Amino acid sequence: MYCGDETGAVIGDIGSHTSRFGYGGEDCPKVVIPSAAYRHHPTNRSDGKRQKVNQSKYTAPVSLLNLPPDDCFDDDMQQVGFVPIYSLNSNNIHHKPIHDTVDTEAYTALWEYSFHALSVRGRNKHTVGHHHESSSASSTDANNNTTIDHPILSSINPHHGTKHHAQLLEILFESLSTPAAYLCPGATLSSFAFGRQSALVVDIGHSGTTVTPVMDGYTLKFGSVVSDRGGEWLGRCQGRILSCRDLWRDNAPCQEIVPRYITRACKEDNNDQLLHKLKLAKESSFHQWTVHQVMYEMMTGSHVLPLEERGSSLVESLFHTNTTIKNENHGMMEEDDMEEEGQVYVLPDGTRVDVGLSKTGKDLCHLPELLFAESLPECLQSNDTNTTQSPSSLPLHKLVQHSLSQILDTDIRKELLSNIILTGSSSLFPGIDKRLSAELSTLLPNVYKNRVICSKNSVENRYSTWIGGSILSSLGSFQQMWLSRREYEECGAVLGLQKFH
Amino acid sequence: MSLSKKRSSNIASSILSTLPPIAPTLGSAPQQSEQPQPETQQINEITKKKIPQTIKLGSRLIFTSRRPQSWSWKPFSSSARKDDTQFSHWVRSNAEYPDYPYARFDVGLDKLKIGDDDWALLGEEWGEVNADNKAGSSSTVGGGGNKANKSIVEKLIKKTASKIPPWTREETETLLTLAHQYELRWPVIIDRWHERFNMLPDGSLNTLSAVRTVEDLQYRYYHVGNVLARKQLAGVVGEINTSNAGSSNVVAAGSNATLTGKGDVKQSSQIEPSDQQALATLAKNLAAHPTLVPSISIPNTGTTLSNKPFDLIAEKARRAQLHHVWNRPKAEEREEEELRAELRAIELQLRKMKKSGKFLVPKGSPHSVSAAAAKGDTKTVAERKAELDAYVSTTNNLTASFLATAPVPTPGTPYLQSGRLFPPALGGGLNKSTLKQMEDILTELKVKEPIATKRACDLYDQVRKDALTLLILQKIVLRKEAEVMAKRGKLVNAMGAGNGDVVIEEEPETKKRKKSDADKVAVVAAPSQPAASGATKKVTKSAGNQHSVGKKLPTTAGQSKKKTKKSAAPALPLTGASASSTIAVAAAPTGANNSLNVTKAAAAAATGVAAPALPVVSKAPPTAPTNSAVTKTPKKRGRPAKSPAPASTSTILATGDANETSGSANKKAKKIS
């Protein structure tokens, strides 16, 4: 039975790196933007009086190719107006509940941008059709008063805590004036996107990997585990390998990654103001984001080999090289320079990195192996002294095992294991599903047969959470689940959240 | 002009056909039709011919001339929602729904409700345990255990329940709420339970409630449901007992009154009148047959009132086992795996040995007893094996000789299947005469040389092999038989005029008959010796005749007469020697009828010899029946004259009879030859 009903819900999935928006019932999100916003500082008025800081304006989307706009640089505060929605504390992301609060205005800005792009505001959107408005800034102002008649479904991360969720709900109802809203854990939505009610959702995202058991659409708290091995972590590892080993083809003066915005800015004439801006930008989180952008590009390069099904020994042999051997290789490498042109990766600033010949270069080709590495090489170990085997440092397959061991009802392990859903942008490395399956079958008792489900379609893998939301919101039987504005006004955000559990 | 025409003029028909079946396309809602421009009308004229009348989309036919059905974006409210918030959706403009069509999917469980006096009831039920555990506490505290069912299981539960803290009222109510909210999804319930009672993820406990496991929660829930259902039943039963007579209406009303009188307003209002009646009838049944406690339930709560309570002990054991399997170290598992592999290998070997007729007999097992019994039989295991070997070697030899002439398939060198039709190579028990006999069999079976396909050749080979095996084994059987007869004759000779008990011992089945037989033989044994030897030659011939005539002989069934004669011939002098020693001796005094008598005896002997050939055909162990068949076959034939025993006791009668038979036999033999 189809049981679908198009009610024009707006689905939003704001992740740690990318946000996706679109109408429910469609098969992929229409708006995909970075999960960050520019904070524009109020410009000097003619009378020289400054506006208050809290009146500053937020805009999305963020371009990671160019420097932030001029009014984002705050000379007094010595900082750049770049606000990631979820700030990543690089070393221990998940040890502290730092996600308790979000920058409300930045969050709102993302939604507002999507509303603008999807023409959510204004009545009878479906019958009137799409009317493009020229200026995003004016539209946000102009439309703030008009209400929308589309319910909003937003994905949440159960690890962020109730306080955070209540805040999101407040934003949806107060700032965005939605008639009804629903918050659903991303893992649940992912499992729906793969057509399953019960599954073990392994989401390898930007900020880390989450393993979440989903039972009949309910996420289980016991069994939900997080590790920091995600796309961002892989990018950092790659950056460290690049910086601490002499792989550089040309004798580059500075052995660090130069993001695109610097090269672009330097093409223009150099003046003091620009240098000052660059200096400010380099210390901000904007620089980190742009560096990660470069790292992501490199990770998805053609030199990266698919994961092998049996690579456990490979991980140990990789990334543990002596400096002496490496230096010898380095000497040899230069001779074959011209012959092996295809084995060179060119960074956006024109730096050429050898990835074919040297041992270290080959390590770069096996970068995804790090997700399964039991122990990390010294150069990649993080600085914190937390030596205990916390779940945040577990390899992927151990994380799955850890999750299943935590589940309180032993009966469901078998079912979950036969429905492992591998999703998230960092799960796009080829062969990762087979590898995970192989590792699990060696790790777990033989009676437990595992099956890893991973879509071959990269869109489905990247946007599975959003797609699940799209499916859920267009079900006829779902329409009774919305938390309506009236209910919200009666019981408030915290009590309203209970409707979603 | 209609919209469709206007659209079709703009959009190529190929694009039209790719549109989805239902097309409330966003932003392309019906607009009021405008007056077409003159040039577009012209284009319409041109393209009109190309547009088909109907377009098939999937299983639907869309008429291009018909105006598309209009859809509208309408608000709706669902009865499944508690508030009447309106959402909007796309519907056909003319469609009207009384209620949101998907509201009927709003199904859920009812909550088990415990009234205040139910708590008293629960407290009363568990009073004993409470007294043990916690004196002076409020009645809301409950342990495990049940007055009604005092089975061993219950006692065990009591035992375990004494270790864990008793259920508090808060806990129970939380449980009922969770069970209602998550509709008995126990994995979720236990998760939320621990979330609420704050078991830390590292396994340490914050509250006492967190020690409860899934099965504890399940047991508690079903137990509460059981108690409540029983209470309902008890109310009805009590009412019936007080007011014995009366219509069912009165009963229902009365029971209602009792329940209300008990102060359980909630419960009684919950029960529908029909349920009340059902309960009443159930209670009647209960009163009539106390053993037939019906399985009733509080509707839509997932609980039942049954005599079979939730088996907590078994559930605990099952989960412990699951836990054990999950936590088992890999090394242990590997060890078990190896052991299993070893076991498999041993079993395979055993099966192989069984197939080849060998047995591994452990000491003192029932098998060894039977083996000993088998030894007590005429043959030892080793002998049987040797005989089997004869069979096996025969087939092996045959296969080898077939292979010798057939082309050998090697990669790259093609060969003709017809090459396999050559006769097998000689040697290894095969000689020309055997081959000739085989061909005789084949002609008699009307098996011609087939067209040389693989399947046909395989079958042809199989037939030839079977025929050759038959012939060779027949030979072996005859030889063995001859040996047996010779030995028996020797035995008789060795005994001389002594008692025949030795013979009798050898063949327990014919003990009685042979006894009297042998006595008579012993009387006349000595003078008849030359006559017997003289008769031997005649025996040979007439026995052959007897064979060719006697259609009842099993060997003649599928064989040529000539062959039968031949195969029987070598055996006869030997068998005759032994057979005549019993029969010809008895015949000696009759003088003139001597030869006829001998003929008959020989015939009997011949049948005795021929009989074992039957099992060979059916591929049974060839040697087994030889002993008994000698004596049995004449009996089967049912002719007193042919059996050696009556021949000796009533000679004259038998002779006359035999005379007739052999005479006809001779005539027929003459005709044939």
Side-chain angles (χ1 to χ4, degrees):
Chain A
M1 204 146 71
Y2 167 52
C3 284
D5 191 16
E6 191 185 335
T7 54
V10 179
I11 318 297
D13 170 30
I14 297 186
S16 50
H17 184 255
T18 333
S19 302
R20 306 98 184 172
F21 300 96
Y23 280 112
E26 290 170 356
D27 58 358
C28 64
K30 286 205 165 147
V31 175
V32 179
I33 49 174
S35 294
Y38 287 132
R39 183 173 57 228
H40 301 276
H41 288 279
T43 47
N44 287 335
R45 284 186 179 173
S46 53
D47 56 357
K49 222 179 165 186
R50 273 176 179 270
Q51 282 179 324
K52 284 182 184 173
V53 178
N54 58 9
Q55 281 175 348
S56 56
K57 228 164 48 190
Y58 286 78
T59 54
V62 167
S63 161
L64 295 176
L65 294 179
N66 293 316
L67 267 174
D70 288 344
D71 54 355
C72 289
F73 291 94
D74 187 353
D75 293 330
D76 298 342
M77 311 279 285
Q78 291 289 315
Q79 65 181 10
V80 187
F82 176 83
V83 188
I85 302 296
Y86 298 114
S87 56
L88 293 175
N89 190 346
S90 57
N91 273 340
N92 46 358
I93 309 165
H94 300 284
H95 296 279
K96 286 186 289 180
I98 53 163
H99 293 308
D100 261 2
T101 57
V102 292
D103 192 323
T104 316
E105 295 195 46
Y107 193 82
T108 316
L110 279 184
W111 278 101
E112 284 294 349
Y113 173 78
S114 77
F115 283 3
H116 165 67
L118 295 166
S119 309
V120 175
R121 291 220 180 267
R123 292 219 163 268
N124 301 327
K125 164 252 152 190
H126 280 73
T127 47
V128 171
H130 183 94
H131 287 295
H132 186 71
E133 285 171 64
S134 54
S135 145
S136 67
S138 67
S139 72
T140 357
D141 275 344
N143 288 330
N144 258 345
N145 297 325
T146 59
T147 55
I148 56 172
D149 60 351
H150 302 282
I152 293 178
L153 187 141
S154 173
S155 76
I156 49 169
N157 185 345
H159 294 279
H160 287 173
T162 326
K163 202 176 159 192
H164 174 73
H165 298 154
Q167 198 189 2
L168 295 192
L169 202 60
E170 274 169 24
I171 294 171
L172 291 184
F173 277 109
E174 308 292 344
S175 315
L176 300 171
S177 64
T178 175
Y182 194 84
L183 302 182
C184 190
T188 302
L189 296 179
S190 288
S191 70
F192 286 164
F194 283 86
R196 275 160 178 83
Q197 291 181 312
S198 305
L200 190 72
V201 180
V202 181
D203 188 340
I204 315 177
H206 172 73
S207 63
T209 305
T210 60
V211 179
T212 318
V214 177
M215 192 69 206
D216 279 347
Y218 295 101
T219 54
L220 302 185
K221 194 187 170 216
F222 291 86
S224 303
V225 287
V226 191
S227 99
D228 57 1
R229 294 197 187 183
E232 196 254 8
W233 176 81
L234 270 185
R236 260 189 291 135
C237 289
Q238 197 177 29
R240 281 200 204 178
I241 296 172
L242 280 178
S243 60
C244 72
R245 301 179 179 194
D246 35 11
L247 278 173
W248 308 87
R249 271 297 165 91
D250 318 318
N251 286 328
C254 61
Q255 296 202 344
E256 63 180 22
I257 292 115
V258 183
R260 282 213 166 80
Y261 79 95
I262 293 178
T263 40
R264 284 189 171 215
C266 288
K267 274 178 192 164
E268 297 155 22
D269 46 333
N270 286 343
N271 53 26
D272 289 348
Q273 198 193 348
L274 182 69
L275 288 175
H276 178 63
K277 270 188 190 174
L278 283 178
K279 194 186 151 220
L280 275 183
K282 218 169 175 182
E283 288 159 5
S284 70
S285 50
F286 179 74
H287 184 74
Q288 283 177 26
W289 274 60
T290 47
V291 167
H292 281 306
Q293 192 81 359
V294 174
M295 288 294 98
Y296 274 143
E297 280 168 28
M298 186 166 175
M299 254 187 260
T300 53
S302 58
H303 65 278
V304 177
L305 300 172
L307 281 157
E308 286 161 41
E309 210 161 305
R310 293 274 164 207
S312 319
S313 52
L314 193 67
V315 179
E316 302 309 320
S317 65
L318 290 172
F319 309 109
H320 289 282
T321 44
N322 289 327
T323 21
T324 49
I325 300 168
K326 188 186 66 204
N327 283 338
E328 286 165 21
N329 282 346
H330 185 66
M332 285 165 63
M333 173 188 78
E334 300 220 331
E335 291 167 18
D336 303 332
D337 197 358
M338 304 314 285
E339 295 166 17
E340 299 281 336
E341 200 62 36
Q343 300 295 325
V344 171
Y345 184 83
V346 185
L347 288 174
D349 62 341
T351 320
R352 298 161 78 212
V353 184
D354 169 70
V355 287
L357 289 174
S358 69
K359 184 88 174 62
T360 337
K362 276 170 187 157
D363 288 355
L364 284 177
C365 301
H366 290 290
L367 191 75
E369 295 282 346
L370 281 176
L371 288 173
F372 294 95
E374 297 273 343
S375 62
L376 290 179
E378 291 149 31
C379 65
L380 298 178
Q381 270 163 6
S382 48
N383 298 327
D384 57 349
T385 51
N386 191 4
T387 49
T388 54
Q389 191 78 333
S390 68
S392 72
S393 58
L394 283 175
L396 195 54
H397 51 289
K398 286 274 172 72
L399 196 70
V400 172
Q401 188 203 24
H402 182 71
S403 158
L404 286 169
S405 303
Q406 273 200 357
I407 286 173
L408 294 167
D409 190 351
T410 45
D411 274 347
I412 58 172
R413 275 182 195 144
K414 218 162 202 167
E415 190 188 350
L416 291 182
L417 259 174
S418 56
N419 286 303
I420 299 175
I421 288 176
L422 195 58
T423 179
S425 294
S426 302
S427 71
L428 292 173
F429 293 113
I432 193 168
D433 49 342
K434 278 178 193 154
R435 174 65 181 278
L436 178 62
S437 182
E439 293 277 1
L440 281 177
S441 47
T442 54
L443 192 67
L444 297 176
N446 286 337
V447 286
Y448 291 92
K449 300 277 174 269
N450 66 72
R451 193 155 68 98
V452 178
I453 301 147
C454 185
S455 174
K456 296 277 174 280
N457 184 343
S458 73
V459 171
E460 277 176 28
N461 252 2
R462 294 174 70 182
Y463 305 136
S464 68
T465 307
W466 188 92
I467 292 169
S470 170
I471 292 169
L472 181 64
S473 74
S474 59
L475 284 179
S477 48
F478 174 72
Q479 307 308 325
Q480 69 200 41
M481 311 279 282
W482 296 106
L483 176 77
S484 69
R485 171 164 284 276
R486 204 166 110 195
E487 282 170 317
Y488 168 78
E489 279 164 357
E490 273 172 16
C491 55
V494 178
L495 279 177
L497 277 178
Q498 288 186 355
K499 191 157 182 174
F500 309 136
H501 282 296
Chain B
M1 175 162 280
S2 74
L3 177 77
S4 61
K5 271 183 192 169
K6 196 193 161 210
R7 279 182 65 180
S8 55
S9 66
N10 297 332
I11 308 165
S13 59
S14 61
I15 298 172
L16 255 184
S17 65
T18 57
L19 282 176
I22 313 165
T25 337
L26 304 184
S28 66
Q31 295 168 3
Q32 288 306 309
S33 56
E34 303 155 24
Q35 284 298 319
Q37 302 289 322
E39 56 262 30
T40 40
Q41 204 165 15
Q42 254 185 346
I43 296 166
N44 269 352
E45 298 291 316
I46 298 162
T47 53
K48 211 171 198 172
K49 284 169 194 168
K50 290 178 189 170
I51 298 167
Q53 279 287 303
T54 55
I55 296 167
K56 195 162 187 200
L57 288 176
S59 58
R60 299 173 64 204
L61 274 182
I62 292 172
F63 292 89
T64 48
S65 56
R66 200 177 289 173
R67 201 186 160 83
Q69 277 181 319
S70 55
W71 293 69
S72 54
W73 179 247
K74 273 186 187 168
F76 69 93
S77 59
S78 166
S79 69
R81 286 196 67 87
K82 287 185 186 82
D83 58 348
D84 52 352
T85 311
Q86 290 209 326
F87 297 94
S88 304
H89 64 167
W90 282 106
V91 278
R92 286 262 166 86
S93 298
N94 48 3
E96 286 290 333
Y97 298 111
D99 185 21
Y100 187 56
Y102 301 111
R104 64 196 163 101
F105 292 115
D106 181 36
V107 287
L109 283 182
D110 291 340
K111 195 180 170 185
L112 261 188
K113 282 177 189 132
I114 307 182
D116 279 341
D117 72 315
D118 290 327
W119 284 111
L121 189 71
L122 286 174
E124 185 191 310
E125 288 238 343
W126 302 321
E128 293 174 10
V129 188
N130 283 344
D132 296 340
N133 280 348
K134 225 179 177 185
S137 71
S138 71
S139 66
T140 56
V141 185
N146 196 331
K147 233 187 225 171
N149 289 326
K150 284 205 165 172
S151 61
I152 303 161
V153 176
E154 290 285 323
K155 277 176 192 164
L156 279 170
I157 290 170
K158 267 186 202 169
K159 223 179 181 181
T160 49
S162 61
K163 282 178 201 162
I164 58 169
W167 283 80
T168 63
R169 182 167 183 163
E170 286 81 1
E171 278 180 328
T172 310
E173 274 179 351
T174 310
L175 172 65
L176 297 187
T177 314
L178 286 176
H180 165 65
Q181 190 181 353
Y182 297 109
E183 290 163 359
L184 301 184
R185 291 183 180 93
W186 292 107
V188 187
I189 292 171
I190 187 68
D191 192 71
R192 300 297 191 265
W193 176 272
H194 280 289
E195 198 179 345
R196 179 154 317 182
F197 290 109
N198 202 8
M199 188 178 88
L200 302 175
D202 59 358
S204 61
L205 304 174
N206 247 18
T207 59
L208 278 175
S209 308
V211 298
R212 306 211 188 280
T213 53
V214 200
E215 60 269 20
D216 289 336
L217 298 190
Q218 283 170 328
Y219 174 71
R220 174 70 178 175
Y221 181 79
Y222 294 120
H223 183 74
V224 167
N226 202 346
V227 166
L228 290 181
R230 195 179 294 128
K231 201 197 106 178
Q232 274 188 17
L233 187 69
V236 178
V237 170
E239 175 53 35
I240 287 167
N241 287 343
T242 49
S243 64
N244 269 325
S247 68
S248 59
N249 273 342
V250 175
V251 169
S255 63
N256 232 342
T258 353
L259 286 173
T260 340
K262 273 188 171 182
D264 193 349
V265 187
K266 254 185 195 172
Q267 286 289 344
S268 61
S269 66
Q270 225 179 19
I271 304 166
E272 302 282 317
S274 59
D275 284 345
Q276 282 281 12
Q277 289 203 5
L279 280 174
T281 44
L282 285 173
K284 266 184 201 166
N285 288 339
L286 182 66
H289 312 280
T291 48
L292 291 177
V293 177
S295 167
I296 65 160
S297 57
I298 301 175
N300 209 8
T301 51
T303 61
T304 55
L305 166 63
S306 64
N307 281 330
K308 215 174 159 190
F310 184 81
D311 197 345
L312 185 59
I313 301 296
E315 187 69 8
K316 273 195 188 296
R318 189 181 69 84
R319 286 187 186 273
Q321 169 66 16
L322 273 178
H323 186 74
H324 172 72
V325 169
W326 177 259
N327 287 323
R328 205 156 55 139
K330 244 343 198 184
E332 200 178 301
E333 196 171 78
R334 218 171 297 127
E335 200 177 315
E336 194 198 304
E337 201 58 37
E338 279 163 14
L339 276 177
R340 275 181 194 284
E342 237 170 79
L343 182 68
R344 265 199 300 276
I346 289 172
E347 274 175 352
L348 194 75
Q349 252 178 339
L350 274 177
R351 228 174 305 151
K352 259 188 198 165
M353 283 181 80
K354 239 182 197 174
K355 247 185 196 169
S356 61
K358 294 175 210 162
F359 291 97
L360 258 190
V361 183
K363 254 186 200 172
S365 78
H367 287 291
S368 67
V369 175
S370 68
K375 229 176 233 177
D377 236 18
T378 51
K379 307 231 161 175
T380 61
V381 175
E383 274 169 351
R384 276 177 199 275
K385 196 188 132 197
E387 280 160 9
L388 273 176
D389 279 353
Y391 173 74
V392 170
S393 67
T394 312
T395 45
N396 285 347
N397 285 344
L398 274 179
T399 322
S401 51
F402 267 93
L403 280 177
T405 51
V408 184
T410 47
T413 51
Y415 69 94
L416 292 171
Q417 288 282 356
S418 56
R420 294 174 57 188
L421 296 177
F422 288 121
L426 295 180
L430 274 184
N431 50 35
K432 273 190 176 170
S433 65
T434 329
L435 281 182
K436 190 85 184 45
Q437 282 174 5
M438 179 203 78
E439 265 153 32
D440 287 343
I441 293 177
L442 290 184
T443 29
E444 204 194 25
L445 292 175
K446 290 171 186 166
V447 177
K448 290 169 197 164
E449 251 188 23
I451 296 165
T453 63
K454 181 166 189 317
R455 196 170 142 73
C457 285
D458 286 346
L459 289 173
Y460 188 61
D461 274 3
Q462 198 56 50
V463 169
R464 287 195 293 178
K465 267 182 210 170
D466 283 351
L468 284 174
T469 316
L470 175 70
L471 292 173
I472 291 168
L473 288 180
Q474 255 175 358
K475 258 191 215 168
I476 293 172
V477 166
L478 287 177
R479 201 165 59 234
K480 291 274 175 193
E481 192 56 40
E483 271 172 30
V484 170
M485 285 301 183
K487 274 179 185 166
R488 188 174 294 164
K490 250 187 215 170
L491 197 66
V492 172
N493 282 346
M495 280 186 309
N499 56 12
D501 280 347
V502 185
V503 186
I504 291 154
E505 268 177 5
E506 218 174 66
E507 309 214 25
E509 284 176 37
T510 55
K511 206 174 184 177
K512 252 191 179 172
R513 193 149 33 80
K514 280 252 168 169
K515 205 166 198 175
S516 58
D517 205 8
D519 286 343
K520 296 235 165 152
V521 170
V523 178
V524 281
S528 67
Q529 203 73 348
S533 57
T536 313
K537 271 195 178 172
K538 276 182 184 171
V539 163
T540 314
K541 218 172 192 180
S542 56
N545 289 342
Q546 183 72 25
H547 260 290
S548 51
V549 174
K551 290 281 187 214
K552 281 166 201 159
L553 294 180
T555 33
T556 53
Q559 297 173 17
S560 72
K561 284 155 196 170
K562 193 183 167 193
K563 190 214 73 195
T564 319
K565 215 194 257 174
K566 269 195 174 177
S567 67
L572 281 176
L574 290 165
T575 43
S578 64
S580 58
S581 66
T582 39
I583 299 160
V585 165
T590 54
N593 291 331
N594 195 1
S595 70
L596 285 175
N597 262 335
V598 172
T599 309
K600 221 174 297 150
T607 48
V609 173
L614 176 64
V616 178
V617 174
S618 63
K619 286 205 170 171
T623 49
T626 45
N627 289 325
S628 58
V630 175
T631 50
K632 264 184 187 171
T633 322
K635 214 163 54 178
K636 264 186 205 163
R637 295 179 65 189
R639 284 197 192 173
K642 303 249 158 133
S643 146
S648 53
T649 44
S650 55
T651 321
I652 303 164
L653 185 81
T655 319
D657 197 6
N659 203 352
E660 222 174 283
T661 327
S662 61
S664 63
N666 279 335
K667 270 181 202 167
K668 281 189 180 176
K670 267 180 192 170
K671 263 186 194 173
I672 288 162
S673 55

